[in-house]
Amino acid sequence: MTHPLRVGVLALQGDVREHLAMLEASGVEAVPVRRAEELGSLDGLVLPGGESTTMSKLARTFDLLEPLRQAAKDGLPMFGTCAGMIMLADRIEGGTADQETIGGLDVVVRRNAFGRQVDSFEADLDVARLGEVFHAMFIRAPWVEGVGPDVEVVATVATGPATGRIVAVRQGHLLATSFHPEVTGDARIHEVFVEIVRDAAS
Ligand code: GLN
């Protein structure tokens, strides 16, 4: 490899720092990204959790929405967590009237799906790719209500009332989770993304 893999974290709003730390722990150079010109130097991009309506507005204001859409179309690997998952969805339920997304994932994502009153909770997940349980943290999380034919279901809830709900998906170079893998000190999901980035770069 001629240069270390460089992965950005969209830093308009949300939990940017935690993702930067997880990416560094997964062995890549991690940088915050705020301007369209920065996209060209990246091997991958994380869209963090936060508030998708705000993120969408800021992306529009900073002239990032179209460049992000183009980068996703051009094959830049992207990993969206929670609000970031909503940003990658082609269709959303429970969004605001003017809420725009980057899109690229052929899924329907429902915002605040576990109930608005359920602020945050933890649950064990079945993660097909890892072959073992992953303990996940959800914060006002969406879930995936429907997936297109090219979408791989990566994780479902393993216990409790939401058992079976889809909470992680992958479609080619795009990965998304409704939970926050950056806050539980377990880098395995970030490592899955770094593998996607590495494959795309080689
Ligand atoms: N409920 C938020 C939204 O709709 C997502 C929450 C999160 O990212 N933790 O954007």
Side-chain angles (χ1 to χ4, degrees):
M1 209 184 309
T2 50
H3 70 105
L5 292 171
R6 192 175 152 86
V7 177
V9 179
L10 188 66
L12 298 176
Q13 190 257 345
D15 53 350
V16 175
R17 244 186 2 187
E18 294 84 347
H19 274 294
L20 292 171
M22 273 299 196
L23 289 166
E24 295 279 356
S26 308
V28 299
E29 183 192 347
V31 290
V33 167
R34 294 188 186 82
R35 291 178 300 119
E37 302 80 72
E38 294 168 308
L39 295 175
S41 70
L42 302 176
D43 297 301
L45 179 68
V46 170
L47 309 165
E51 175 50 53
S52 60
T53 53
T54 308
M55 215 177 278
S56 155
K57 277 197 197 111
L58 290 172
R60 169 65 67 207
T61 305
F62 290 102
D63 292 323
L64 266 164
L65 205 50
E66 289 311 327
L68 286 168
R69 285 176 176 152
Q70 194 56 49
K73 281 201 191 90
D74 292 346
L76 180 69
M78 292 191 190
F79 174 23
T81 61
C82 204
M85 167 187 260
I86 296 168
M87 290 298 289
L88 283 180
D90 280 346
R91 292 171 297 282
I92 49 182
E93 298 279 353
T96 55
D98 59 346
Q99 184 166 359
E100 297 182 278
T101 71
I102 298 166
L105 274 179
D106 183 13
V107 295
V108 181
V109 166
R110 177 172 295 280
R111 286 183 69 217
N112 302 312
F114 295 90
R116 274 180 192 279
Q117 69 283 8
V118 183
D119 220 45
S120 70
F121 65 97
E122 298 181 30
D124 284 334
L125 308 181
D126 280 326
V127 186
R129 184 174 288 270
L130 299 178
E132 43 193 291
V133 159
F134 185 92
H135 190 71
M137 162 73 94
F138 293 82
I139 305 168
R140 290 184 299 283
W143 67 40
V144 179
E145 201 138 287
V147 299
D150 299 329
V151 177
E152 174 194 347
V153 173
V154 173
T156 55
V157 178
T159 52
T163 295
R165 286 294 177 183
I166 301 170
V167 291
V169 291
R170 176 182 176 183
Q171 183 174 359
H173 61 295
L174 303 178
L175 177 70
T177 65
S178 357
F179 52 94
H180 286 265
E182 74 283 9
V183 298
T184 41
D186 183 340
R188 287 179 295 166
I189 304 286
H190 284 81
E191 283 159 10
V192 168
F193 180 58
V194 168
E195 264 320 299
I196 293 172
V197 173
R198 192 165 285 127
D199 286 350
S202 66

